[in-house]
PDB file of all heavy atoms in Angstrom:
ATOM      1  N   GLN A 550      31.027 -36.186 -38.984  1.00 94.00           N
ATOM      2  CA  GLN A 550      31.503 -34.837 -38.620  1.00 94.00           C
ATOM      3  C   GLN A 550      31.864 -34.793 -37.138  1.00 94.00           C
ATOM      4  O   GLN A 550      31.300 -35.544 -36.354  1.00 94.00           O
ATOM      5  CB  GLN A 550      30.390 -33.806 -38.885  1.00 94.00           C
ATOM      6  CG  GLN A 550      29.886 -33.864 -40.311  1.00 94.00           C
ATOM      7  CD  GLN A 550      28.673 -32.966 -40.512  1.00 94.00           C
ATOM      8  OE1 GLN A 550      28.821 -31.807 -40.777  1.00 94.00           O
ATOM      9  NE2 GLN A 550      27.483 -33.510 -40.338  1.00 94.00           N
ATOM     10  N   ASN A 551      32.749 -33.868 -36.811  1.00 90.00           N
ATOM     11  CA  ASN A 551      33.074 -33.712 -35.389  1.00 90.00           C
ATOM     12  C   ASN A 551      31.997 -32.870 -34.684  1.00 90.00           C
ATOM     13  O   ASN A 551      31.044 -32.438 -35.330  1.00 90.00           O
ATOM     14  CB  ASN A 551      34.489 -33.118 -35.197  1.00 90.00           C
ATOM     15  CG  ASN A 551      34.588 -31.724 -35.741  1.00 90.00           C
ATOM     16  OD1 ASN A 551      33.584 -31.020 -35.921  1.00 90.00           O
ATOM     17  ND2 ASN A 551      35.795 -31.277 -36.043  1.00 90.00           N
ATOM     18  N   SER A 552      32.187 -32.656 -33.401  1.00 84.00           N
ATOM     19  CA  SER A 552      31.112 -32.016 -32.616  1.00 84.00           C
ATOM     20  C   SER A 552      30.857 -30.564 -33.089  1.00 84.00           C
ATOM     21  O   SER A 552      29.807 -30.018 -32.827  1.00 84.00           O
ATOM     22  CB  SER A 552      31.457 -32.041 -31.135  1.00 84.00           C
ATOM     23  OG  SER A 552      32.781 -31.595 -30.987  1.00 84.00           O
ATOM     24  N   LYS A 553      31.818 -29.996 -33.829  1.00 89.00           N
ATOM     25  CA  LYS A 553      31.614 -28.634 -34.351  1.00 89.00           C
ATOM     26  C   LYS A 553      31.116 -28.642 -35.795  1.00 89.00           C
ATOM     27  O   LYS A 553      31.094 -27.597 -36.450  1.00 89.00           O
ATOM     28  CB  LYS A 553      32.924 -27.850 -34.267  1.00 89.00           C
ATOM     29  CG  LYS A 553      33.332 -27.592 -32.817  1.00 89.00           C
ATOM     30  CD  LYS A 553      34.606 -26.801 -32.747  1.00 89.00           C
ATOM     31  CE  LYS A 553      35.009 -26.641 -31.297  1.00 89.00           C
ATOM     32  NZ  LYS A 553      36.431 -26.810 -31.083  1.00 89.00           N
ATOM     33  N   GLY A 554      30.784 -29.819 -36.312  1.00 90.00           N
ATOM     34  CA  GLY A 554      30.279 -29.911 -37.691  1.00 90.00           C
ATOM     35  C   GLY A 554      31.390 -29.979 -38.728  1.00 90.00           C
ATOM     36  O   GLY A 554      31.117 -29.943 -39.917  1.00 90.00           O
ATOM     37  N   GLY A 555      32.633 -30.117 -38.281  1.00 93.00           N
ATOM     38  CA  GLY A 555      33.754 -30.230 -39.228  1.00 93.00           C
ATOM     39  C   GLY A 555      33.733 -31.608 -39.880  1.00 93.00           C
ATOM     40  O   GLY A 555      33.618 -32.612 -39.182  1.00 93.00           O
ATOM     41  N   PRO A 556      33.846 -31.639 -41.230  1.00 96.00           N
ATOM     42  CA  PRO A 556      33.797 -32.940 -41.914  1.00 96.00           C
ATOM     43  C   PRO A 556      35.043 -33.784 -41.625  1.00 96.00           C
ATOM     44  O   PRO A 556      36.174 -33.293 -41.740  1.00 96.00           O
ATOM     45  CB  PRO A 556      33.719 -32.570 -43.388  1.00 96.00           C
ATOM     46  CG  PRO A 556      34.086 -31.129 -43.478  1.00 96.00           C
ATOM     47  CD  PRO A 556      34.009 -30.504 -42.130  1.00 96.00           C
ATOM     48  N   LEU A 557      34.841 -35.047 -41.263  1.00 96.00           N
ATOM     49  CA  LEU A 557      35.964 -35.939 -40.933  1.00 96.00           C
ATOM     50  C   LEU A 557      36.177 -36.990 -42.016  1.00 96.00           C
ATOM     51  O   LEU A 557      37.256 -37.146 -42.534  1.00 96.00           O
ATOM     52  CB  LEU A 557      35.708 -36.626 -39.585  1.00 96.00           C
ATOM     53  CG  LEU A 557      35.620 -35.686 -38.399  1.00 96.00           C
ATOM     54  CD1 LEU A 557      35.153 -36.446 -37.171  1.00 96.00           C
ATOM     55  CD2 LEU A 557      36.960 -35.031 -38.144  1.00 96.00           C
ATOM     56  N   TYR A 558      35.110 -37.746 -42.276  1.00 97.00           N
ATOM     57  CA  TYR A 558      35.239 -38.767 -43.329  1.00 97.00           C
ATOM     58  C   TYR A 558      33.860 -39.156 -43.858  1.00 97.00           C
ATOM     59  O   TYR A 558      32.850 -38.935 -43.192  1.00 97.00           O
ATOM     60  CB  TYR A 558      36.014 -39.993 -42.841  1.00 97.00           C
ATOM     61  CG  TYR A 558      35.422 -40.725 -41.659  1.00 97.00           C
ATOM     62  CD1 TYR A 558      34.515 -41.766 -41.836  1.00 97.00           C
ATOM     63  CD2 TYR A 558      35.794 -40.405 -40.367  1.00 97.00           C
ATOM     64  CE1 TYR A 558      33.988 -42.447 -40.748  1.00 97.00           C
ATOM     65  CE2 TYR A 558      35.272 -41.079 -39.280  1.00 97.00           C
ATOM     66  CZ  TYR A 558      34.364 -42.105 -39.475  1.00 97.00           C
ATOM     67  OH  TYR A 558      33.850 -42.769 -38.397  1.00 97.00           O
ATOM     68  N   PHE A 559      33.889 -39.752 -45.050  1.00 98.00           N
ATOM     69  CA  PHE A 559      32.672 -40.364 -45.589  1.00 98.00           C
ATOM     70  C   PHE A 559      32.727 -41.839 -45.290  1.00 98.00           C
ATOM     71  O   PHE A 559      33.784 -42.467 -45.479  1.00 98.00           O
ATOM     72  CB  PHE A 559      32.606 -40.197 -47.119  1.00 98.00           C
ATOM     73  CG  PHE A 559      32.313 -38.793 -47.570  1.00 98.00           C
ATOM     74  CD1 PHE A 559      33.229 -38.057 -48.280  1.00 98.00           C
ATOM     75  CD2 PHE A 559      31.067 -38.214 -47.286  1.00 98.00           C
ATOM     76  CE1 PHE A 559      32.943 -36.768 -48.707  1.00 98.00           C
ATOM     77  CE2 PHE A 559      30.777 -36.936 -47.706  1.00 98.00           C
ATOM     78  CZ  PHE A 559      31.716 -36.207 -48.420  1.00 98.00           C
TER      79      PHE A 559
END
Side-chain angles (χ1 to χ4, degrees):
Q550 304 173 87
N551 64 20
S552 48
K553 292 181 183 138
L557 297 172
Y558 59 91
F559 287 116

